[in-house]
Amino acid sequence: MDAETKALATVQGALEEIREKFKGFPARGVVTAVKHFPAREARLVSFPEFLPPRIDEILRARGIESLYSHQAAACELARAGKNFVVVTPTASGKTLCYNLPILSALIGDPEARALYLFPTKALAQDQLAELNRWTDKLGDEIRTFTYDGDTPQDARKAIRARGNLVITNPDMLHTGILPHHTKWQRLFENLRYVVIDELHYYRGVFGSHLGNVLRRLKRIAEFYGRRPQFICASATIANPAELATRIIEENVELLEENGAPAAEKFFVFYNPPVVNPQLGIRRSYLNDTRRVARTFLNRGLQSIVFANSRLATEILVTYLKEDFAKIPLGPEAVRGYRGGYLPLERREIERDLREGRLLGVVATNALELGIDIGSLDVAVLAGYPGTIASTWQRAGRAGRRRGSSAAVLVASSAPLDQFMVQNPDYFFGRSPEHGYVNPDNLFILLNHLKCAAFELPLREDEKFGALDLKRLCQHLEEIGFLHHTTDGWHWVSESYPADAISLRSISSDNFVIVDNTEESQVIGEVDFSSALTTVHEKAIYMQDGQQYHVERLDYEDRKAYVKQCDSDYFTDAISYTKIQILQTFDQAPAGPARKNHGEVQVNTQVVGFKKIKFHTMENVGSGELTLPEQEMHTTAYWLTLPREMLEELPYDRGARLDGVTGLGNALQAIATLLVMCDARDLGVAIGENTVDSSQQADAHLLVRTPNPETRTPRVIFEPNIYLYDKYPGGVGFSEPLFRMSETLLGNTYRLIANCPCASGCPSCVGPVGEIGEKGKEVALAILKKLPAVSCQ
C-alpha cells in the first residue's frame, strides 16, 4: 500500500468514525452533508515562447516542466498589456500568474518597476520568501523588498532607490508612499505593474478606501508619465470582474478557467445536536469542534482548526492541549496561531507545520490567506467564517495538490451557520456572494481628496470620482484646507491628512480606552460608531479575554476610562432607532408587498443595557442610560408590507408586530451572506410607512387615520423593514439588495422554515423572549404571501 492510499484510508476511517459516533441523533442534527470531490488531473500547456531562457531554466530546476492552462493564459494577457483578474481556487498556482510575466519583464528592462499589494503583512512576508527563491537564481537584476511599518528606517532609502519589485499593503501605500512620492520618483517614473492579491478581501469600507487610494496612485503615476497595468487575483466570488473594475476604474479581463490539479477531498457539514427543541438550543459547537479535531489528531493526521475569534482560538488550544497532555506526543503537539503573537513565534509555527514537526494548530483567519504552511491532512472550521469564499480558503489549507484530505465545518447556532449546514446545495453550488464597494461615498472620497491635494495640486479639469470636484474643492477651501489659484487648488493646511484616515472605517473620530486599574495606560481604541454601544458607562468591555468595567465615558474628549474586573456577565446595549426616508431611488412590486431602495436618515440613541450571563446567556439585570442621539444619512433597502396583506393574517396586532420584527432579524442574516459583509456593517430597523402627510405615526409603528363613518381614529399597521448601511453615505449594499430581493426573501424563508425550533430561536428569527410565541409562525406566514417563496 503506497503513502497516498494509506492517507486516504486514514482520512476515510476518521470520517466514518465521526458518522458512526453520532448516527443515533435526529436527522436534523450532526452530519448534514458529506461531499466527495474526486481527484482532478491538471490541464497543462507548454511554456510561452516569450519567457526568458533563465526563467525557463529556473522553472525546470524546480521540477516544473509545463504551466497550468490558466497560468499560460495569464502570461498572454499580461504580455498584451491587459488588466485582468485571476479567479481560481486555493493552491491553484495563482502566484505564478503574476510572478512569471512580471519577472520576465523586469529581466528585459531592469529599470521597470512593479508594486505588489497584499492585505496583510504576514502575506507580504510569505510572498517575499517565494520571490527570494527566484532572486537567488536571477541575481541583482531582480531587487525585491517589502516596505511596511516594520521596515527599518535606515533601509527605506535604499528600497526607494534600488527596489524594482516592492511589496507593501494598502495602508502603507496610503500613508507612507503616496504622500512622499517625490522620494519614490524612480518607482513612479518606471511603474509598469500593480498587483492586487486577495481582491475579494477588498469590499465594503476597506474596498471603497482602496478604490480611492488607487485613484491617487494613478494620478501620481500619470504625473510622472506612466499608466500602470493592473493584475488582480481573487478567491471565487460571483462578481470578481465587476469588483475589480469598480476598484481600479478600468476595463478588466476575467480569467476563471482553472487548469490546476486537485487531490481527492471530503467536505463534511456537521451540526451539533439540538439539546432543547423548544428553544432550538444546540450543544456547544466549540466542544464538538474539540471532539472532531481530536478524532483526526489521534490518528496522526496533521490538522488545522480555524476559530472565528481570538477567545475561541485560545479556548480550543487549551482544550486540545489538555487532551494530548497524557499521551507521548504531549501538549506541544498542538499550538495556537493568531494576531498578537510575536512575528518570530508565528514564523516558527509556520515552519514547524511545513516540516511536519507540529501535529495541529488552532488559528484565527491569520492563517486563512495564502501563507505557506505546507500540505495538511485536515481542516476543521469552528463556525462558519462569514463568507463562502473564506470557507473555501480555510478548507483549502488541507490537501493542497496531492494526497487525500478532509474539511469539516462545525456549525454554531448563528443564523448563517444554520442556513449553510441545512442547505448544503446552496454552499456547494456556484458562489452567490457578491463583493460591493462605493468609492464615491462622500465621506471617504472627501478624505482622500484632501490626501490627493496634499500630494499634487488638483487641476480645474481633473476628475476624481463621480462627484462634482469643483464643489468639493470649494467646500475644502471654505474650511481652510485648500487655496484656489489660476491653475487649481493647492493644499495649505499644516496637517498631514493621510495620518488621520483609517482605511478600515469612514470616520477617524475614535474613542481611546484608558485603563486606570493601576497606572493609567491606553489599551486600545473603538471607532466612533461602536463606542456608545460598547464603552458606555457601566458596560463590560472585553479585550484579549480580560474584562474591564467602564467607569466613565468622556464624550467630549473621546475617552473611556475602565478598570479590570472579573465579571460573570457581559453587557448588551439597548438602542432606539428611528428612520426617515429622504429619497427613494427605485421601487418595484414584490407580490402584494413593495421593495425599495434610497437615501434615509437614521437617528439612533442608546437608552439602556442588558446584563447577559456567560454560558447560560440569561438576562440577569439591566440599566438605563442617557447618551446623545446620533444622526446619520445613509442608504437602505426596505420592504413595505401593506396593511391589507397583514390584515389577512389570522393574528392580533401584537403577534403581527412580533412576526415583522423576527422577519427583519432573519432578513439581515441572509443579506450579509449575499453582499459579503459583516453583521456590524448592515443595520436592521422596523419603521412605519407614512402614506401621506395627513397621517400621524406613534412609536409603535401605527398609522392612525379617521374612520369615515364614525370619524374615530382607526389603527393601520403598515411597516417598513429597513436594511441600512451602518456607515455615513453608504458603502453600496442597498442597490444590490434591491436587485436580489427575490433571492433574499427566498433564502430567508428557507432559513426560518428549516430551523427545528418550535417558536423562534437565535438561529432564525430571534429568541422567543424577544419576538413572542408566534413570531416565527407570523414571519413564515408573511413570507408565504410573497412571490419569491410562494412556490417553495
Side-chain angles (χ1 to χ4, degrees):
M1 186 182 289
D2 61 27
E4 285 190 29
T5 307
K6 266 187 185 175
L8 172 59
T10 308
V11 169
Q12 287 179 323
L15 291 175
E16 191 57 37
E17 183 179 326
I18 290 172
R19 296 190 73 170
E20 286 295 323
K21 191 180 290 184
F22 301 110
K23 203 177 258 184
F25 285 105
R28 283 187 181 272
V30 197
V31 178
T32 62
V34 178
K35 184 77 170 177
H36 175 230
F37 296 91
R40 185 182 64 241
E41 294 296 321
R43 290 194 294 275
L44 301 172
V45 296
S46 301
F47 294 148
E49 293 182 0
F50 56 79
L51 280 187
R54 293 167 66 194
I55 295 286
D56 190 305
E57 291 170 11
I58 294 172
L59 286 170
R60 294 184 191 280
R62 293 171 64 173
I64 301 173
E65 298 292 333
S66 53
L67 297 181
Y68 303 140
S69 56
H70 64 278
Q71 294 171 334
C75 290
E76 296 289 349
L77 286 171
R79 182 173 172 79
K82 304 282 189 182
N83 302 313
F84 64 91
V85 55
V86 183
V87 186
T88 54
T90 302
S92 58
K94 282 195 287 280
T95 302
L96 279 183
C97 290
Y98 49 81
N99 276 349
L100 282 181
I102 289 175
L103 291 173
S104 299
L106 295 184
I107 288 173
D109 179 9
E111 285 303 308
R113 297 291 190 269
L115 186 68
Y116 283 22
L117 294 179
F118 293 95
T120 66
K121 287 192 288 188
L123 200 54
Q125 289 293 335
D126 195 63
Q127 181 60 221
L128 178 65
E130 165 63 20
L131 283 167
N132 282 341
R133 296 173 64 190
W134 287 90
T135 55
D136 288 345
K137 305 288 185 182
L138 292 171
D140 289 341
E141 287 178 78
I142 308 298
R143 301 175 297 281
T144 304
F145 302 95
T146 55
Y147 192 85
D148 55 34
D150 296 335
T151 304
Q153 290 292 332
D154 56 356
R156 297 188 177 195
K157 185 175 181 180
I159 294 171
R160 292 193 290 264
R162 298 187 61 247
N164 59 359
L165 200 162
V166 177
I167 304 170
T168 188
N169 55 67
D171 305 273
M172 197 63 181
L173 178 62
H174 160 59
T175 58
I177 296 178
L178 297 180
H180 307 289
H181 61 87
T182 53
K183 296 180 179 179
W184 290 88
Q185 183 174 345
R186 292 193 68 180
L187 172 79
F188 287 107
E189 284 179 340
N190 299 281
L191 185 59
R192 282 186 59 180
Y193 298 101
V194 177
V195 171
I196 306 172
D197 200 9
E198 308 291 352
L199 177 76
H200 61 284
Y201 200 84
Y202 302 105
R203 55 189 192 272
V205 171
F206 194 18
S208 301
H209 275 293
L210 179 65
N212 281 283
V213 170
L214 295 180
R215 285 170 175 169
R216 291 159 50 198
L217 179 145
K218 287 163 66 177
R219 73 188 291 267
I220 290 173
E222 183 183 359
F223 175 77
Y224 288 101
R226 303 297 301 181
R227 184 178 178 180
Q229 178 181 351
F230 289 87
I231 301 175
C232 307
S234 172
T236 303
I237 59 174
N239 65 333
E242 178 191 353
L243 179 61
T245 300
R246 193 80 174 96
I247 288 177
I248 71 172
E249 296 183 321
E250 294 187 24
N251 292 330
V252 175
E253 301 278 335
L254 175 62
L255 180 53
E256 57 182 345
E257 177 209 6
N258 177 25
E264 182 177 45
K265 193 181 199 79
F266 296 89
F267 206 134
V268 179
F269 278 8
Y270 173 90
N271 203 10
V274 174
V275 293
N276 186 326
Q278 289 298 314
L279 299 178
I281 296 173
R282 295 182 178 274
R283 199 165 65 189
S284 165
Y285 80 101
L286 289 179
N287 283 331
D288 277 8
T289 298
R290 173 191 191 177
R291 292 185 181 95
V292 171
R294 188 171 59 206
T295 299
F296 289 110
L297 292 168
N298 281 339
R299 290 175 173 264
L301 294 168
Q302 198 177 25
S303 305
I304 182 168
V305 180
F306 281 105
N308 291 333
S309 68
R310 293 183 175 189
L311 180 59
T313 299
E314 296 299 341
I315 289 171
L316 284 168
V317 170
T318 302
Y319 286 170
L320 291 171
K321 280 183 175 291
E322 288 174 0
D323 291 340
F324 284 86
K326 297 177 181 178
I327 63 174
L329 287 171
E332 294 309 310
V334 178
R335 296 190 65 180
Y337 185 106
R338 60 170 177 79
Y341 287 15
L342 296 174
L344 287 178
E345 188 177 8
R346 291 202 299 269
R347 300 296 90 77
E348 178 190 347
I349 295 169
E350 292 163 19
R351 186 173 59 251
D352 287 349
L353 277 172
R354 279 195 303 270
E355 296 174 2
R357 289 194 294 270
L358 196 57
L359 183 61
V361 65
V362 184
T364 59
N365 63 351
L367 272 181
E368 176 184 312
L369 302 179
I371 298 168
D372 183 14
I373 53 173
S375 180
L376 307 179
D377 299 308
V378 179
V380 181
L381 283 61
Y384 177 65
T387 68
I388 292 174
S390 290
T391 305
W392 279 114
Q393 284 200 296
R394 294 184 182 190
R397 301 307 279 167
R400 305 288 278 184
R401 286 183 198 139
R402 297 178 59 83
S404 297
S405 64
V408 181
L409 170 62
V410 181
S412 75
S413 293
L416 277 189
D417 291 52
Q418 291 304 306
F419 179 80
M420 285 301 170
V421 295
Q422 292 175 22
N423 297 277
D425 291 342
Y426 188 84
F427 177 88
F428 291 114
R430 186 169 180 84
S431 175
E433 296 178 323
H434 295 69
Y436 292 106
V437 295
N438 180 20
D440 291 326
N441 173 289
L442 179 61
F443 297 87
I444 293 175
L445 187 145
L446 202 58
N447 276 329
H448 285 279
L449 199 58
K450 295 177 188 177
C451 299
F454 177 89
E455 291 151 5
L456 290 170
L458 292 159
R459 303 187 311 273
E460 291 274 3
D461 61 345
E462 192 168 346
K463 184 179 178 183
F464 193 91
L467 303 182
D468 187 333
L469 181 66
K470 183 176 180 180
R471 289 183 61 189
L472 295 176
C473 289
Q474 287 172 342
H475 168 71
L476 292 177
E477 183 180 28
E478 289 170 4
I479 57 179
F481 288 110
L482 303 183
H483 175 66
H484 186 238
T485 66
T486 54
D487 61 343
W489 280 272
H490 298 255
W491 182 259
V492 292
S493 172
E494 294 183 0
S495 63
Y496 179 67
D499 258 359
I501 301 167
S502 166
L503 300 188
R504 268 69 174 187
S505 64
I506 286 184
S507 171
S508 57
D509 195 9
N510 293 344
F511 279 72
V512 173
I513 300 168
V514 181
D515 180 10
N516 283 337
T517 306
E518 294 176 356
E519 293 185 6
S520 292
Q521 59 174 332
V522 175
I523 59 171
E525 61 181 13
V526 180
D527 62 90
F528 183 87
S529 60
S530 302
L532 299 186
T533 57
T534 55
V535 290
H536 57 77
E537 289 182 5
K538 303 177 187 176
I540 299 297
Y541 172 74
M542 291 183 285
Q543 181 169 307
D544 279 346
Q546 176 62 55
Q547 298 162 4
Y548 299 86
H549 184 264
V550 180
E551 306 285 324
R552 183 165 66 92
L553 178 67
D554 189 334
Y555 188 82
E556 297 300 325
D557 287 343
R558 303 292 194 261
K559 291 181 179 178
Y561 296 93
V562 303
K563 284 187 177 179
Q564 291 184 16
C565 67
D566 185 12
S567 172
D568 62 352
Y569 69 87
F570 62 93
T571 51
D572 184 21
I574 303 169
S575 61
Y576 164 78
T577 300
K578 182 174 66 176
I579 294 186
Q580 178 184 350
I581 300 168
L582 301 178
Q583 183 180 359
T584 301
F585 299 149
D586 203 353
Q587 59 181 267
R594 189 170 66 254
K595 61 178 182 177
N596 318 261
H597 84 95
E599 184 178 355
V600 297
Q601 176 180 305
V602 181
N603 290 76
T604 305
Q605 185 171 22
V606 177
V607 295
F609 62 93
K610 295 180 289 186
K611 298 178 180 179
I612 309 296
K613 197 173 182 67
F614 285 113
H615 306 296
T616 65
M617 304 300 286
E618 61 183 306
N619 189 334
V620 293
S622 62
E624 294 184 358
L625 295 169
T626 304
L627 293 170
E629 185 177 80
Q630 304 300 307
E631 180 181 303
M632 174 178 70
H633 286 202
T634 186
T635 54
Y637 157 88
W638 65 94
L639 184 70
T640 302
L641 303 176
R643 167 180 57 86
E644 294 82 3
M645 187 185 88
L646 291 177
E647 286 184 345
E648 291 174 1
L649 301 177
Y651 306 101
D652 61 30
R653 180 171 60 85
R656 292 174 194 164
L657 179 55
D658 287 341
V660 171
T661 302
L663 177 56
N665 293 337
L667 283 169
Q668 182 200 28
I670 297 299
T672 60
L673 163 68
L674 294 177
V675 296
M676 286 183 77
C677 74
D678 191 277
R680 293 169 296 183
D681 300 330
L682 196 66
V684 60
I686 312 298
E688 72 274 27
N689 180 44
T690 305
V691 180
D692 60 55
S693 58
S694 67
Q695 297 173 338
Q696 300 296 317
D698 67 14
H700 297 289
L701 317 178
L702 306 176
V703 178
R704 299 181 181 275
T705 59
N707 184 311
E709 296 180 4
T710 64
R711 309 303 298 169
T712 57
R714 180 164 61 108
V715 174
I716 297 175
F717 176 44
E718 188 165 275
N720 287 335
I721 302 176
Y722 295 94
L723 298 176
Y724 61 92
D725 294 20
K726 292 182 76 171
Y727 297 98
V731 288
F733 298 145
S734 66
E735 192 272 336
L737 287 174
F738 176 81
R739 283 192 283 107
M740 295 187 287
S741 184
E742 286 199 4
T743 303
L744 172 64
L745 295 169
N747 287 337
T748 301
Y749 178 82
R750 292 164 72 182
L751 169 68
I752 301 173
N754 290 338
C755 186
C757 69
S759 305
C761 70
S763 297
C764 58
V765 294
V768 174
E770 294 180 10
I771 54 94
E773 291 289 341
K774 293 190 178 294
K776 179 178 180 178
E777 184 180 332
V778 176
L780 285 172
I782 293 171
L783 285 169
K784 285 177 182 176
K785 288 185 169 290
L786 304 181
V789 297
S790 58
C791 59
Q792 297 196 26

